[in-house]
């Protein structure tokens, strides 16, 4: 492969309008194969499209000297490509212990938090639209779908990652906190996540790096099967492909169907809430009330999707909310007036006359 832009990927970016003239792209640069290929591609893309590019490396404080070397390598490569570089250091083990999280989830939480804060800062500084570029590929997508499926995720989780989405939308099922106020500052339109490599298999990326002579770092923890995602990637997906060579492709096709289903429900629940919901504000917090007679006319599945959308509108995230919580809210309708249920993250559901109140304290 000769040096130059990946034509197919370039046409996809152009067709989907993932990057616009004058926009700012903050690349999550780990130094691994995927992010190194995305760095190369974005630099080539700048020859055809005018946009600003910065790279950010998040050092998790997990792998000691190896992690320090990854950060140094990432900085060196960014400088080689003449891309401004930022490094953020945190302690994932401490954060995981304090918040009772696994290392994978804690690392993801802090990584996205750091990227989001820097993107918002850069956007506020320049007043220009800023997007975060992530190097997830097709195998990551299949792994994510399986991971969410076995955890009992809803439509959002099983629909997988999107090539382009607002960070606030991604946070409906993601494992990091939402800062609503930050997204509502003047001149800020919210931060968009870009995943331009979702159409590529991992083996394709490795082949292109070899042909181009681009170096990259190997994360030793990626071979540790005690991490659930690694086990899925190293053992389960290959086993599925032995059963059916098109297993990954079929998983992605199923994800696309779930994504369409999710979009349909999201549109319909928003319309429903606009028609039958009422917002209230008090000294103790804010609430949204829903018409119980109208709720009882709806299918049970649709009611649960209404509760989910209402909670997202109320607090900006449905993290920590699951099927049991939505079933619990539904049960209040049967109990009638006076029913009350405490939910995660300071949310409470109660029945008052013919209204279901969801309150955030």
């Amino acid at each position: 492969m000769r040096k130059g832009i990946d034509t197919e990927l370039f046409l996809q970016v152009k067709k989907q309008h993932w990057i616009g003239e004058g926009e700012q792209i903050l690349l999550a640069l780990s130094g691994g194969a995927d992010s190194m290929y995305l760095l190369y591609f974005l630099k080539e893309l700048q020859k055809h499209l005018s946009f600003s590019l910065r790279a950010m490396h998040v050092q998790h404080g997990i792998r000691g000297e190896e992690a320090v070397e990854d950060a140094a390598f990432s900085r060196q490569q960014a400088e080689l490509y003449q891309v401004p570089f930022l490094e953020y250091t945190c302690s994932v083990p401490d954060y995981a212990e304090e918040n009772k999280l696994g290392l994978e989830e804690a690392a993801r939480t802090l990584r996205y938090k750091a990227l989001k804060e820097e993107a918002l800062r850069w956007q506020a500084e320049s007043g220009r639209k800023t997007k975060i570029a992530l190097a997830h590929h097709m195998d990551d997508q299949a792994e994510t779908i399986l991971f969410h499926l076995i955890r009992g995720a809803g439509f959002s989780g099983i629909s997988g990652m999107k090539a382009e989405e607002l960070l606030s939308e991604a946070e409906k099922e993601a494992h990091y906190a939402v800062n609503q106020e930050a997204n509502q500052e003047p001149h800020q339109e919210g931060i968009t996540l870009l995943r331009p490599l979702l159409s590529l298999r991992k083996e394709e990326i490795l082949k292109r790096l070899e042909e181009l002579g681009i170096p990259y770092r190997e994360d030793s923890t990626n071979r540790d099967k005690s991490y659930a995602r690694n086990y899925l990637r190293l053992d389960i997906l290959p086993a599925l492909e032995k059963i059916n060579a098109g297993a990954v492709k079929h998983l992605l096709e199923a994800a696309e169907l779930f994504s369409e289903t999710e979009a349909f429900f999201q549109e319909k629940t928003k319309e429903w809430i606009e028609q039958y919901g009422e917002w209230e504000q008090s000294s103790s917090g804010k609430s949204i009330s829903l018409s119980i007679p109208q709720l009882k006319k709806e299918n049970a599945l649709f009611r649960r999707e209404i509760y989910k959308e209402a909670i997202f509108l109320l607090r900006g995230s449905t993290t920590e909310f699951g099927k049991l919580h939505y079933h619990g809210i539904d049960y209040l309708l049967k109990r009638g007036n006076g029913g009350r249920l405490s939910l995660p993250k300071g949310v409470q559901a109660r029945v008052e006359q013919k209204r279901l109140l969801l309150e955030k304290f």
Side-chain angles (χ1 to χ4, degrees):
M1 179 180 179
R2 291 178 300 174
K3 283 191 177 290
I5 198 160
D6 181 326
T7 304
E8 189 175 335
L9 198 55
F10 168 70
L11 291 175
Q12 192 175 18
V13 170
K14 188 175 180 180
K15 179 181 178 182
Q16 300 297 333
H17 305 289
W18 285 337
I19 300 176
E21 292 280 346
E23 291 184 341
Q24 301 178 153
I25 305 299
L26 178 65
L27 168 64
L29 183 64
S30 68
D34 314 323
S35 67
M36 281 303 300
Y37 184 68
L38 186 52
L39 171 63
Y40 168 79
F41 173 77
L42 290 173
K43 276 301 295 183
E44 289 295 315
L45 185 61
Q46 281 188 315
K47 297 175 182 177
H48 306 267
L49 188 65
S50 177
F51 64 92
S52 299
L53 177 64
R54 289 183 183 178
M56 183 172 183
H57 180 90
V58 179
Q59 214 268 66
H60 297 127
I62 296 178
R63 293 175 293 119
E65 186 58 31
E66 183 183 350
V68 174
E69 291 172 1
D70 285 351
F73 173 81
S74 297
R75 179 182 294 278
Q76 178 191 55
Q77 292 301 309
E79 290 174 352
L80 184 65
Y81 283 92
Q82 297 183 320
V83 173
F85 179 84
L86 304 99
E87 182 180 344
Y88 178 85
T89 302
C90 56
S91 175
V92 167
D94 290 345
Y95 184 84
E97 184 177 353
E98 290 169 7
N99 294 275
K100 296 180 173 58
L101 299 172
L103 284 179
E104 283 183 293
E105 185 174 348
R108 191 162 49 251
T109 299
L110 291 179
R111 183 165 61 252
Y112 276 100
K113 181 176 182 291
L115 288 164
K116 177 182 178 180
E117 288 177 353
E118 175 55 30
L120 285 169
R121 189 196 64 75
W122 192 15
Q123 183 166 276
E125 176 186 272
S126 67
R128 291 191 288 156
K129 179 69 178 175
T130 302
K131 298 176 180 179
I132 297 171
L134 306 170
H136 296 119
H137 49 74
M138 193 183 294
D139 295 72
D140 290 327
Q141 179 76 297
E143 170 198 312
T144 297
I145 293 163
L146 275 180
F147 184 72
H148 287 166
L149 184 63
I150 61 178
R151 294 185 70 188
F155 292 123
S156 297
I158 302 174
S159 65
M161 299 176 286
K162 296 177 178 61
E164 180 181 29
E165 64 182 328
L166 282 173
L167 184 58
S168 58
E169 291 297 314
E171 287 168 331
K172 285 189 177 184
E173 292 294 336
H175 304 285
Y176 45 91
V178 176
N179 182 343
Q180 286 178 284
E181 289 74 19
N183 278 340
Q184 294 170 353
E185 291 178 10
H187 72 260
Q188 290 181 345
E189 303 173 25
I191 299 299
T192 297
L193 298 179
L194 290 180
R195 300 182 179 95
L197 306 185
L198 282 182
S199 61
L200 298 179
R201 294 294 303 265
K202 176 74 171 188
E203 61 185 359
E204 292 180 82
I205 293 172
L206 292 175
K207 182 181 178 181
R208 294 180 188 193
L209 288 174
E210 182 179 359
E211 291 172 341
L212 291 163
I214 296 174
Y216 58 88
R217 295 276 297 177
E218 289 277 9
D219 184 340
S220 61
T221 62
N222 286 341
R223 310 297 300 179
D224 185 350
K225 295 180 186 178
S226 65
Y227 293 107
R229 287 178 177 269
N230 289 350
Y231 180 65
L232 287 172
R233 183 177 66 256
L234 298 173
D235 286 1
I236 302 303
L237 278 174
L240 291 175
E241 289 192 301
K242 283 184 179 179
I243 298 171
N244 187 313
V248 168
K249 179 186 175 183
H250 296 154
L251 277 172
L252 268 60
E253 289 171 348
E256 187 175 347
L257 178 60
F258 279 115
S259 182
E260 291 172 355
T261 305
E262 177 197 6
F264 172 80
F265 272 109
Q266 190 175 68
E267 180 184 351
K268 294 302 178 184
T269 54
K270 283 181 178 178
E271 289 175 359
W272 194 98
I273 291 171
E274 285 177 6
Q275 186 171 0
Y276 301 114
E278 295 178 3
W279 285 95
E280 297 178 12
Q281 183 76 40
S282 68
S283 57
S284 58
K286 60 180 180 178
S287 67
I288 182 171
S289 73
L290 309 173
S291 168
I292 290 177
Q294 292 298 329
L295 281 169
K296 287 183 175 180
K297 292 179 182 179
E298 305 297 348
N299 173 275
L301 171 62
F302 187 56
R303 285 201 302 270
R304 293 194 295 273
E305 290 298 313
I306 291 171
Y307 306 149
K308 182 178 179 180
E309 184 64 26
I311 289 170
F312 179 76
L313 292 172
L314 189 65
R315 63 172 298 270
S317 173
T318 54
T319 301
E320 297 188 25
F321 286 81
K323 182 172 63 176
L324 288 176
H325 299 116
Y326 302 129
H327 278 289
I329 297 172
D330 213 36
Y331 181 68
L332 289 181
L333 273 61
K334 299 176 183 178
R335 290 181 59 187
N337 194 39
R340 190 180 296 263
L341 176 67
S342 293
L343 296 162
K345 297 296 183 180
V347 176
Q348 182 176 265
R350 62 186 175 91
V351 173
E352 190 175 280
Q353 301 303 326
K354 295 182 179 180
R355 307 292 294 183
L356 169 69
L357 274 73
L358 293 169
E359 303 170 293
K360 177 188 174 185
F361 295 97

